[in-house]
């Protein structure tokens, strides 16, 4: 199967919703290959939430080497479905992971969509970089408008 276009993969601050790191790749690159580029050792939290595409032993080893705590979704397999406890745990993890989807929802609904008509990786990296920065500015404005006033 062929994939065309580019993807914006992000790492966000779970407390405030800012994009901390991002990686722009051609669409044919699997998301799981970007995990090392998205991990942020300077983040105050050492938790990593991700979907089940990252639930492999090599990712667990990578996270433990970087001193991150894995909160990656569990994955079922054929003839080995997830237990009810694993499904419940995945549901709890999904509530945190939804913060990432809010970023993409904002870009789609408020910032002109996710479609880019740029040709080449360099132009797409610049376009997505500016869009990610604009999102962070909008998020900052939203955070300070809800912040308590200190007298």
């Amino acid at each position: 199967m062929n994939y065309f276009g580019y993807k914006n993969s992000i790492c966000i601050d779970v407390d405030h919703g800012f994009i901390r790191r991002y990686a722009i790749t051609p669409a044919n690159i699997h998301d799981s290959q970007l995990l090392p580029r998205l991990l942020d050792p300077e983040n105050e939290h050492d938790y990593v939430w991700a979907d089940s595409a990252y639930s492999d032993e090599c990712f667990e080893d990578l996270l433990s080497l970087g001193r991150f705590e894995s909160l990656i979704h569990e994955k079922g397999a054929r003839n080995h479905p997830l237990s009810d406890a694993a499904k419940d745990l995945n549901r709890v993890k999904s509530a945190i992971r939804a913060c990432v989807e809010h970023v993409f929802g904002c870009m789609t609904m408020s910032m002109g969509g996710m479609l880019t008509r740029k040709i080449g990786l360099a132009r797409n990296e610049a376009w997505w970089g500016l869009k990610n920065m604009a999102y962070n500015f909008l998020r900052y404005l939203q955070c300070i408008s809800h912040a308590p006033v200190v007298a």
Side-chain angles (χ1 to χ4, degrees), residues 22-97:
Y22 67 93
I24 309 305
T25 59
N28 64 343
I29 304 296
H30 193 272
D31 293 342
S32 64
Q33 294 180 8
L34 300 174
L35 185 63
R37 290 175 58 185
L38 296 174
L39 293 174
D40 187 358
E42 296 174 3
N43 197 347
E44 70 179 85
H45 298 295
D46 56 357
Y47 305 112
V48 174
W49 285 275
D51 64 22
S52 60
Y54 300 90
S55 64
D56 195 357
E57 199 63 37
C58 65
F59 296 119
E60 298 295 332
D61 294 342
L62 173 69
L63 293 176
S64 65
L65 280 174
R67 292 187 167 87
F68 290 99
E69 184 176 335
S70 173
L71 294 172
I72 295 174
H73 270 55
E74 305 230 3
K75 182 175 15 178
R78 186 180 309 175
N79 299 327
H80 298 287
L82 286 177
S83 67
D84 289 337
K87 288 178 186 177
D88 290 341
L89 190 56
N90 279 353
R91 197 171 296 114
V92 171
K93 293 174 185 176
S94 291
I96 300 294
R97 285 189 50 243

Side-chain angles (χ1 to χ4, degrees), residues 7-11 21-25 34 37-38 132:
K7 291 191 286 190
N8 179 26
S9 300
I10 61 173
C11 167
R21 287 185 175 216
Y22 67 93
I24 309 305
T25 59
L34 300 174
R37 290 175 58 185
L38 296 174
N132 289 340

